[in-house]
Amino acid sequence: MTEDQEAELEEQADDAEEEAEDAEDAEGLQHGDFVELEYTAYTVEDDQLVDTTDPEVAEDEGVDTQGQEFKPRTIVLGEGHIFEDVEEAITGSEAGDSGTVTIDAADAFGEYDPDDVQTVSAEKIDEDDRYPGANVQIDGQQGYISTIIGGRARVDFNHPLAGEDVEYEYEIVDVVEDREAQAAGLFEMYLGFEPELWIETDEVEEEVPVEPDADEDEEAGEDAEPEFETEVVEKESLYLEATPQMTMNQQWMMGKQQIGQQIIDQIDVDRIVVQEVIEGMGMGGLGGMMGGMGGGDIEAALEDADVDADEIVDELEGAEE
């Protein structure tokens, strides 16, 4: 290693040490913290609602009929759950702090690009979507129809809020420390609702590789199959109840692996276990009645129904002859 390389490595080590010290000395909220946030965002020029957690604002703007629950949301600082400019404003703050941030169009939904408006054949669009304002997908791109005349449609592939500066008002309601509450908040952000969940530590059997002795390894050669043994290990598990609302959720169906991995990393658990619960109908239900009947039960049921079992048997034998 040359002297220059050694000097560069020492400089990198010093920088890393300084960053670690700065992180220790930092006050207030930092990246990785879970924050319960209340906010409302409007476009600066047209005063158009972008997003809100306030039910009164949602009612005034007429968006409270969309089945969405309007309440403070849990986000993780530094994970891109909100605009970067807002994250920077919140970093170093405390619970109870509030503020207003104006976000440039380029950092919000992007600048408006006229080249992203294209004319396409109406045949590429479903008949039910052939009207101005319809959201459509053309060749894998999401857009909306600005005009449609005859067999041609003008499709705008810009974001509907492209070119708009956004004013973002926020209040830090609380810092979320409870891990189950953290997980519930993340699931609500990803899926739109909070599933029933809990965290437990389980003992799980796991196959682990066996480290062979040096002499055995040399005798076996490079082509030897690795050996495994069963070992009982502790795993911290996040349990979810697989309700119909969850299993039929489009976001979950399309991205459960990605969503699950992000939550595993952010909550610091070993795995997520999704449990399906099937409730029995009980003795009053048809399934319980038929499933629990033995031969004597069937005879008793026939007697209660005033049916002669011997007559039924004779009729069946006569039909076979």
Side-chain angles (χ1 to χ4, degrees):
M1 182 181 294
T2 66
E3 292 183 1
D4 290 341
Q5 289 174 325
E6 289 180 357
E8 185 177 350
L9 287 175
E10 288 179 6
E11 186 177 348
Q12 290 175 353
D14 291 339
D15 290 343
E17 188 176 347
E18 287 179 9
E19 288 179 5
E21 290 176 356
D22 291 342
E24 290 179 1
D25 296 337
E27 296 182 356
L29 294 168
Q30 300 298 319
H31 284 191
D33 288 337
F34 284 74
V35 177
E36 190 176 29
L37 200 65
E38 208 167 61
Y39 60 82
T40 294
Y42 285 96
T43 60
V44 173
E45 186 174 346
D46 300 328
D47 206 28
Q48 179 181 346
L49 180 67
V50 176
D51 195 8
T52 187
T53 59
D54 190 331
E56 293 184 1
V57 172
E59 183 179 0
D60 291 343
E61 295 290 342
V63 297
D64 60 332
T65 59
Q66 300 176 0
Q68 178 183 348
E69 188 175 4
F70 294 90
K71 65 177 185 178
R73 295 177 191 165
T74 298
I75 59 98
V76 185
L77 287 179
E79 294 295 328
H81 296 158
I82 52 176
F83 293 118
E84 185 177 351
D85 290 345
V86 182
E87 282 191 330
E88 290 179 1
I90 292 175
T91 301
S93 300
E94 305 284 349
D97 290 350
S98 60
T100 301
V101 178
T102 300
I103 305 160
D104 292 338
D107 298 323
F109 299 99
E111 298 286 3
Y112 189 86
D113 186 354
D115 292 337
D116 281 341
V117 182
Q118 301 174 18
T119 300
V120 302
S121 170
E123 295 298 322
K124 288 190 172 185
I125 303 169
D126 190 282
E127 288 186 11
D128 294 337
D129 294 330
R130 294 177 187 175
Y131 60 89
N135 290 313
V136 295
Q137 192 171 58
I138 308 292
D139 299 331
Q141 281 187 288
Q142 192 71 33
Y144 64 94
I145 299 176
S146 56
T147 59
I148 183 165
I149 301 174
R152 310 293 287 174
R154 291 282 286 174
V155 180
D156 193 336
F157 293 103
N158 286 283
H159 189 282
L161 296 176
E164 297 280 357
D165 296 339
V166 175
E167 187 173 84
Y168 197 106
E169 295 183 2
Y170 69 88
E171 180 181 354
I172 304 167
V173 178
D174 202 359
V175 179
V176 183
E177 303 284 0
D178 181 80
R179 293 166 72 214
E180 290 182 0
Q182 291 175 347
L186 290 178
F187 271 111
E188 183 175 31
M189 180 179 64
Y190 291 131
L191 306 181
F193 68 93
E194 290 186 11
E196 183 177 343
L197 57 82
W198 62 97
I199 296 175
E200 291 182 6
T201 300
D202 303 320
E203 290 189 345
V204 180
E205 289 187 351
E206 191 174 78
E207 294 292 314
V208 295
V210 178
E211 200 65 43
D213 294 336
D215 294 338
E216 293 178 358
D217 193 31
E218 186 176 343
E219 290 177 8
E222 295 181 359
D223 298 331
E225 291 289 332
E227 295 184 5
F228 293 86
E229 66 180 9
T230 302
E231 185 177 294
V232 177
V233 297
E234 286 192 345
K235 284 187 178 290
E236 199 167 28
S237 308
L238 174 63
Y239 281 89
L240 300 172
E241 186 173 329
T243 60
Q245 184 183 20
M246 181 171 185
T247 55
M248 298 304 293
N249 182 279
Q250 187 174 7
Q251 298 298 327
W252 181 249
M253 288 190 294
M254 299 293 291
K256 69 172 66 176
Q257 187 64 45
Q258 183 180 5
I259 293 171
Q261 188 60 56
Q262 289 178 357
I263 292 176
I264 285 172
D265 293 340
Q266 291 165 353
I267 305 299
D268 192 23
V269 293
D270 296 307
R271 61 181 189 163
I272 293 177
V273 180
V274 182
Q275 292 190 150
E276 184 175 14
V277 178
I278 301 176
E279 299 286 353
M281 295 177 65
M283 293 304 294
L286 179 62
M289 180 183 72
M290 297 303 293
M293 279 189 175
D297 294 328
I298 294 175
E299 291 174 4
L302 291 173
E303 287 176 5
D304 291 341
D306 195 22
V307 175
D308 191 325
D310 292 333
E311 287 183 5
I312 294 176
V313 172
D314 292 340
E315 288 179 8
L316 291 172
E317 289 177 347
E320 290 176 356
E321 293 173 358

